[in-house]
Amino acid sequence: METRRRSYDEGCIAAHALDLIGDRWALLVARELMLGGRRFSELRAGLPGIAANVLTQRLEGMEAAGLVLREGRAYALTPAGFGLWPVLKALCLWGAAQPGHDPRLFISPTALMLSMRATCRREAAGMHRAGFVLAGERFTVETGPGAYRVARGGGGEPMLFEGGTNAMAAAVYGPRPLTETAEDSVGFTGDLAEGQAFLDLFSLRRG
Amino acid sequence: METRRRSYDEGCIAAHALDLIGDRWALLVARELMLGGRRFSELRAGLPGIAANVLTQRLEGMEAAGLVLREGRAYALTPAGFGLWPVLKALCLWGAAQPGHDPRLFISPTALMLSMRATCRREAAGMHRAGFVLAGERFTVETGPGAYRVARGGGGEPMLFEGGTNAMAAAVYGPRPLTETAEDSVGFTGDLAEGQAFLDLFSLRRG
DNA sequence: CGGCATCCGGGAAGATACTG
DNA sequence: CAGTATCTTCCCGGATGCCG
């Protein structure tokens, strides 16, 4: 029950930040909550390796730190918790440049949508509205010059991407052009040229 | 000897980043190396809570991950390691807004100089050159419109701040105006008005 | 079934002592 | 000074069980 907090005991504000969010899994829990409230089982589904008691501890600790608000059976980020987005974004951008990454491993739908928000070249973005259905979860993405918005839910977007999360990640970040035939098990509905222009905003490929 | 890496086993690039740098102490080791190579005992001095064997493990792991280069008895960051600066910066900015911070705890000289680099309002910066002597360590800071540079060493700057690191942190981030008399055990040499203008670039205070 | 509490084994972190 | 060796503590991960 009583979790003794282990602190770095430093006056450094980065160390203070790590005292609050540096525990194993904590930042990934924040990641899963970054697009809206989730239930315990949904969090577990997005974090396959976490043990139930560890998730309980993290949620308790993050609630005590003022990062998570519990609303009945759902957990949501507080404004302080949403403030972690720049940290996650910096980690995404740095991690994308580090070797050893295996894109075949599990990617949660939330993680993919956030990695797209992190890596989108917004200055080059035209006006787009796209729906995503990833492992049954529905998202909406809207882009514009210098703007990017993603949210759960939606419907009626002129473009729709549908498929497994890993296949979608390959389609978004991979070098292969978009095709109508769902040959990599990603379904696309909409204007093919606009879909390709949209995907080109996220190229992690060099050049 | 052989440290088995514990991975999140996710395809998420943020999780991959945390696989590389998410271990306890790892980011703080990177912090201490961020302004140049350090020796084992210097790292320990900047990380008072770390055990020697844990520091050894972190340095080995970060070397294996391509983040740290060992040059004889000194350790230095590789370009990939220096690439962690945006992550540290985001943590600094977020941590500064979180309650529970105790500025009386130990602050390493490197940590203070980096927190200044993170929080400086560069767009408001005039041309300044300032020397710092913190707990015997010498630094140089140069600012200009939109620019900020900090490095170890230096000498001959028109302004010099000298004192304990915690007292310096209070002078930089605190509400008290700069005075010639070192009443908070911070010594200042140079033009008082320019010194105050320089310090005003770092106000964490609201408003 | 969702949301934990509890127990257990392994391993990482922490403190101390010691050595080249 | 730069670590290594050793021991202890405690966190993490996995399994099980309780309880609304």
Coordinates of all heavy atoms in Angstrom, one line a residue, chain D:
Chain D
dC1 P 40.9 12.1 -5.5 OP1 40.8 13.4 -6.1 OP2 39.7 11.5 -4.9 O5' 41.4 11.1 -6.6 C5' 42.3 11.4 -7.6 C4' 42.3 10.3 -8.6 O4' 42.7 9.1 -7.9 C3' 40.9 10.0 -9.2 O3' 41.1 9.7 -10.6 C2' 40.5 8.7 -8.5 C1' 41.8 8.0 -8.1 N1 41.7 7.2 -6.9 C2 42.2 5.9 -6.9 O2 42.6 5.4 -7.9 N3 42.1 5.1 -5.7 C4 41.6 5.7 -4.6 N4 41.6 4.9 -3.5 C5 41.2 7.0 -4.6 C6 41.2 7.7 -5.7
dA2 P 39.7 9.6 -11.5 OP1 40.1 10.1 -12.8 OP2 38.6 10.3 -10.7 O5' 39.4 8.1 -11.6 C5' 40.4 7.3 -12.2 C4' 40.0 5.8 -12.1 O4' 40.2 5.4 -10.7 C3' 38.5 5.5 -12.4 O3' 38.5 4.4 -13.2 C2' 37.9 5.3 -11.0 C1' 39.0 4.6 -10.3 N9 38.9 4.7 -8.8 C8 38.4 5.7 -8.1 N7 38.5 5.5 -6.8 C5 39.0 4.2 -6.7 C6 39.3 3.4 -5.6 N6 39.1 3.7 -4.3 N1 39.8 2.1 -5.9 C2 40.1 1.8 -7.1 N3 39.8 2.5 -8.3 C4 39.3 3.7 -8.0
dG3 P 37.1 4.2 -14.1 OP1 37.4 3.1 -15.1 OP2 36.9 5.6 -14.6 O5' 36.0 3.8 -13.1 C5' 35.5 2.5 -13.1 C4' 36.3 1.7 -12.1 O4' 36.4 2.4 -10.9 C3' 35.6 0.4 -11.7 O3' 36.1 -0.6 -12.5 C2' 36.0 0.2 -10.2 C1' 36.8 1.5 -9.9 N9 36.3 2.0 -8.6 C8 35.7 3.2 -8.3 N7 35.5 3.4 -7.0 C5 36.0 2.3 -6.4 C6 36.1 1.9 -5.0 O6 35.7 2.6 -4.1 N1 36.7 0.7 -4.8 C2 37.2 -0.1 -5.8 N2 37.8 -1.2 -5.5 N3 37.2 0.2 -7.1 C4 36.6 1.4 -7.3
dT4 P 35.2 -1.9 -12.7 OP1 35.8 -2.7 -13.9 OP2 33.8 -1.5 -12.7 O5' 35.5 -2.8 -11.4 C5' 36.7 -3.4 -11.2 C4' 36.7 -4.2 -9.9 O4' 36.4 -3.2 -8.8 C3' 35.6 -5.3 -9.8 O3' 36.2 -6.4 -9.3 C2' 34.6 -4.7 -8.8 C1' 35.5 -3.8 -7.9 N1 34.8 -2.7 -7.3 C2 34.7 -2.6 -5.9 O2 35.2 -3.5 -5.2 N3 34.1 -1.5 -5.4 C4 33.5 -0.5 -6.1 O4 32.9 0.4 -5.5 C5 33.6 -0.6 -7.5 C7 33.0 0.5 -8.4 C6 34.2 -1.7 -8.0
dA5 P 35.4 -7.8 -9.4 OP1 36.3 -8.8 -9.8 OP2 34.1 -7.6 -10.1 O5' 35.0 -8.1 -7.9 C5' 35.9 -7.6 -6.8 C4' 35.4 -8.0 -5.5 O4' 34.8 -6.8 -4.8 C3' 34.3 -9.1 -5.5 O3' 34.4 -9.9 -4.4 C2' 33.0 -8.2 -5.4 C1' 33.4 -7.0 -4.6 N9 32.7 -5.8 -4.9 C8 32.4 -5.3 -6.1 N7 31.8 -4.2 -6.1 C5 31.6 -3.9 -4.8 C6 31.0 -2.8 -4.1 N6 30.4 -1.8 -4.8 N1 31.0 -2.8 -2.8 C2 31.6 -3.8 -2.1 N3 32.2 -4.9 -2.7 C4 32.2 -4.9 -4.0
dT6 P 33.5 -11.2 -4.2 OP1 34.3 -12.3 -3.7 OP2 32.7 -11.4 -5.4 O5' 32.5 -10.7 -3.1 C5' 33.0 -10.0 -2.0 C4' 31.8 -9.5 -1.1 O4' 31.4 -8.2 -1.6 C3' 30.6 -10.4 -1.0 O3' 30.2 -10.6 0.3 C2' 29.6 -9.6 -1.8 C1' 30.0 -8.1 -1.5 N1 29.5 -7.1 -2.4 C2 29.0 -5.9 -1.9 O2 29.0 -5.7 -0.7 N3 28.6 -5.0 -2.8 C4 28.6 -5.2 -4.2 O4 28.2 -4.3 -5.0 C5 29.1 -6.5 -4.7 C7 29.2 -6.8 -6.1 C6 29.5 -7.3 -3.8
dC7 P 29.3 -11.8 0.7 OP1 30.0 -12.7 1.6 OP2 28.7 -12.4 -0.5 O5' 28.1 -11.1 1.5 C5' 28.5 -10.0 2.4 C4' 27.3 -9.0 2.5 O4' 27.3 -8.2 1.3 C3' 26.0 -9.7 2.5 O3' 25.3 -9.4 3.8 C2' 25.2 -9.1 1.4 C1' 26.0 -7.9 1.0 N1 25.8 -7.5 -0.5 C2 25.5 -6.2 -0.8 O2 25.3 -5.4 0.0 N3 25.4 -5.9 -2.2 C4 25.7 -6.9 -3.1 N4 25.6 -6.5 -4.4 C5 26.0 -8.2 -2.7 C6 26.1 -8.5 -1.4
dT8 P 23.9 -10.0 4.1 OP1 24.0 -10.4 5.6 OP2 23.6 -11.0 3.1 O5' 22.9 -8.8 3.9 C5' 23.3 -7.5 4.4 C4' 22.4 -6.4 3.9 O4' 22.6 -6.2 2.5 C3' 20.9 -6.8 4.0 O3' 20.2 -5.8 4.7 C2' 20.4 -7.0 2.6 C1' 21.4 -6.1 1.8 N1 21.6 -6.5 0.4 C2 21.5 -5.5 -0.6 O2 21.1 -4.4 -0.4 N3 21.7 -6.0 -1.9 C4 22.1 -7.3 -2.2 O4 22.3 -7.6 -3.4 C5 22.2 -8.2 -1.2 C7 22.6 -9.6 -1.4 C6 22.0 -7.8 0.1
dT9 P 18.7 -5.9 5.0 OP1 18.5 -5.3 6.4 OP2 18.3 -7.3 4.7 O5' 18.0 -4.9 4.0 C5' 18.6 -3.7 3.7 C4' 17.9 -3.0 2.5 O4' 18.3 -3.7 1.3 C3' 16.3 -3.2 2.5 O3' 15.8 -1.9 2.2 C2' 16.1 -4.2 1.3 C1' 17.2 -3.9 0.4 N1 17.6 -5.1 -0.4 C2 17.8 -4.9 -1.8 O2 17.7 -3.8 -2.3 N3 18.1 -6.0 -2.5 C4 18.3 -7.3 -2.0 O4 18.6 -8.2 -2.7 C5 18.1 -7.4 -0.6 C7 18.3 -8.8 0.1 C6 17.8 -6.3 0.1
dC10 P 14.2 -1.7 2.4 OP1 14.1 -0.4 3.1 OP2 13.6 -2.9 3.0 O5' 13.7 -1.5 0.9 C5' 14.5 -0.9 0.0 C4' 14.0 -1.2 -1.4 O4' 14.6 -2.5 -1.8 C3' 12.5 -1.4 -1.6 O3' 12.1 -0.8 -2.8 C2' 12.4 -2.9 -1.6 C1' 13.6 -3.3 -2.4 N1 14.0 -4.7 -2.3 C2 14.6 -5.3 -3.5 O2 14.7 -4.6 -4.5 N3 14.9 -6.6 -3.4 C4 14.8 -7.3 -2.3 N4 15.1 -8.5 -2.2 C5 14.2 -6.7 -1.1 C6 13.8 -5.4 -1.2
dC11 P 10.8 0.0 -3.0 OP1 11.2 1.4 -2.5 OP2 9.7 -0.7 -2.4 O5' 10.7 0.0 -4.6 C5' 11.8 0.4 -5.4 C4' 11.8 -0.5 -6.6 O4' 12.2 -1.8 -6.1 C3' 10.5 -0.7 -7.3 O3' 10.7 -0.4 -8.7 C2' 10.2 -2.2 -7.1 C1' 11.5 -2.8 -6.9 N1 11.5 -4.1 -6.1 C2 11.9 -5.3 -6.6 O2 12.3 -5.3 -7.8 N3 11.8 -6.4 -5.9 C4 11.4 -6.3 -4.6 N4 11.4 -7.5 -3.9 C5 10.9 -5.1 -4.0 C6 11.0 -4.0 -4.8
dC12 P 9.5 -0.2 -9.6 OP1 9.8 1.0 -10.4 OP2 8.3 -0.3 -8.8 O5' 9.5 -1.5 -10.6 C5' 10.8 -1.9 -11.1 C4' 10.7 -3.3 -11.7 O4' 10.7 -4.2 -10.6 C3' 9.5 -3.5 -12.5 O3' 9.8 -4.1 -13.7 C2' 8.6 -4.5 -11.6 C1' 9.7 -5.2 -10.8 N1 9.3 -5.8 -9.5 C2 9.5 -7.1 -9.2 O2 10.0 -7.8 -10.1 N3 9.1 -7.6 -8.0 C4 8.5 -6.8 -7.1 N4 8.2 -7.3 -5.9 C5 8.3 -5.4 -7.4 C6 8.7 -4.9 -8.6
dG13 P 8.8 -4.2 -14.9 OP1 9.6 -3.9 -16.2 OP2 7.6 -3.4 -14.6 O5' 8.4 -5.7 -14.9 C5' 9.3 -6.7 -15.1 C4' 8.8 -8.1 -14.8 O4' 8.5 -8.1 -13.3 C3' 7.4 -8.4 -15.4 O3' 7.6 -9.7 -16.1 C2' 6.4 -8.5 -14.3 C1' 7.3 -8.8 -13.1 N9 6.8 -8.4 -11.8 C8 6.3 -7.1 -11.5 N7 6.0 -7.0 -10.3 C5 6.2 -8.2 -9.7 C6 6.0 -8.7 -8.4 O6 5.6 -8.0 -7.4 N1 6.4 -10.0 -8.2 C2 6.9 -10.8 -9.2 N2 7.3 -12.0 -8.9 N3 7.1 -10.4 -10.5 C4 6.8 -9.1 -10.6
dG14 P 6.4 -10.2 -17.0 OP1 7.0 -10.8 -18.2 OP2 5.4 -9.2 -17.1 O5' 5.8 -11.4 -16.1 C5' 6.6 -12.5 -15.7 C4' 5.8 -13.4 -14.8 O4' 5.6 -12.7 -13.5 C3' 4.4 -13.7 -15.3 O3' 4.2 -15.1 -15.3 C2' 3.4 -13.0 -14.2 C1' 4.3 -13.0 -13.0 N9 3.9 -11.9 -12.1 C8 3.7 -10.6 -12.4 N7 3.4 -9.8 -11.4 C5 3.4 -10.7 -10.3 C6 3.2 -10.4 -9.0 O6 2.9 -9.4 -8.4 N1 3.3 -11.6 -8.2 C2 3.6 -12.8 -8.7 N2 3.7 -13.8 -7.8 N3 3.9 -13.1 -10.0 C4 3.8 -12.0 -10.7
dA15 P 2.8 -15.7 -15.7 OP1 3.1 -16.9 -16.5 OP2 1.9 -14.6 -16.3 O5' 2.1 -16.1 -14.3 C5' 2.9 -16.8 -13.4 C4' 2.0 -17.1 -12.1 O4' 2.0 -15.9 -11.4 C3' 0.6 -17.4 -12.5 O3' 0.2 -18.7 -11.8 C2' -0.2 -16.3 -11.9 C1' 0.7 -15.6 -10.9 N9 0.5 -14.2 -10.8 C8 0.5 -13.3 -11.8 N7 0.3 -12.0 -11.5 C5 0.2 -12.1 -10.1 C6 0.0 -11.2 -9.1 N6 -0.2 -9.9 -9.3 N1 -0.1 -11.6 -7.8 C2 0.0 -12.9 -7.5 N3 0.2 -13.9 -8.4 C4 0.3 -13.4 -9.7
dT16 P -1.2 -19.3 -12.0 OP1 -1.1 -20.8 -12.0 OP2 -1.9 -18.6 -13.1 O5' -2.0 -18.9 -10.7 C5' -1.3 -18.9 -9.4 C4' -2.1 -18.2 -8.4 O4' -1.9 -16.8 -8.6 C3' -3.6 -18.4 -8.4 O3' -4.0 -19.0 -7.2 C2' -4.2 -17.1 -8.6 C1' -3.1 -16.1 -8.2 N1 -3.2 -14.8 -8.8 C2 -3.3 -13.7 -8.0 O2 -3.4 -13.8 -6.8 N3 -3.4 -12.5 -8.6 C4 -3.3 -12.3 -10.0 O4 -3.3 -11.2 -10.5 C5 -3.1 -13.5 -10.8 C7 -3.0 -13.4 -12.3 C6 -3.1 -14.7 -10.2
dG17 P -5.5 -19.5 -7.0 OP1 -5.5 -20.8 -6.2 OP2 -6.2 -19.5 -8.3 O5' -6.2 -18.4 -6.1 C5' -5.5 -17.8 -5.0 C4' -6.2 -16.6 -4.4 O4' -5.9 -15.4 -5.2 C3' -7.7 -16.8 -4.4 O3' -8.3 -16.2 -3.3 C2' -8.2 -16.0 -5.7 C1' -7.2 -14.9 -5.6 N9 -7.0 -14.2 -6.9 C8 -6.8 -14.8 -8.1 N7 -6.6 -13.9 -9.1 C5 -6.7 -12.7 -8.5 C6 -6.7 -11.4 -9.0 O6 -6.5 -11.1 -10.2 N1 -6.9 -10.4 -8.1 C2 -7.1 -10.7 -6.7 N2 -7.2 -9.6 -5.9 N3 -7.1 -11.9 -6.2 C4 -7.0 -12.8 -7.1
dC18 P -9.8 -16.6 -2.8 OP1 -9.6 -17.5 -1.6 OP2 -10.6 -16.9 -3.9 O5' -10.3 -15.2 -2.2 C5' -9.4 -14.3 -1.6 C4' -9.9 -12.8 -1.8 O4' -9.5 -12.4 -3.1 C3' -11.4 -12.7 -1.7 O3' -11.7 -11.5 -0.9 C2' -11.8 -12.4 -3.1 C1' -10.6 -11.7 -3.7 N1 -10.5 -11.8 -5.2 C2 -10.4 -10.6 -5.9 O2 -10.5 -9.5 -5.3 N3 -10.3 -10.7 -7.3 C4 -10.2 -11.9 -7.9 N4 -10.0 -11.9 -9.2 C5 -10.2 -13.1 -7.1 C6 -10.4 -13.0 -5.8
dC19 P -13.1 -11.4 -0.1 OP1 -12.9 -11.7 1.3 OP2 -14.1 -12.2 -0.9 O5' -13.5 -9.9 -0.3 C5' -12.8 -9.1 -1.3 C4' -13.7 -8.3 -2.1 O4' -13.4 -8.5 -3.5 C3' -15.2 -8.6 -2.0 O3' -16.0 -7.4 -2.1 C2' -15.5 -9.5 -3.2 C1' -14.6 -8.8 -4.2 N1 -14.2 -9.6 -5.4 C2 -13.9 -9.0 -6.6 O2 -14.0 -7.8 -6.7 N3 -13.6 -9.7 -7.7 C4 -13.6 -11.1 -7.6 N4 -13.3 -11.8 -8.7 C5 -13.9 -11.8 -6.4 C6 -14.2 -11.0 -5.3
dG20 P -17.4 -7.2 -1.4 OP1 -17.1 -6.5 -0.1 OP2 -18.0 -8.5 -1.4 O5' -18.2 -6.2 -2.3 C5' -17.7 -4.9 -2.5 C4' -17.9 -4.5 -4.0 O4' -17.2 -5.4 -4.8 C3' -19.3 -4.5 -4.5 O3' -19.7 -3.1 -4.9 C2' -19.3 -5.4 -5.7 C1' -17.9 -5.7 -6.0 N9 -17.7 -7.1 -6.3 C8 -17.7 -8.2 -5.5 N7 -17.5 -9.3 -6.1 C5 -17.2 -8.9 -7.4 C6 -16.9 -9.7 -8.5 O6 -16.8 -11.0 -8.6 N1 -16.7 -9.0 -9.7 C2 -16.8 -7.6 -9.7 N2 -16.6 -7.1 -10.9 N3 -17.1 -6.8 -8.7 C4 -17.3 -7.6 -7.6

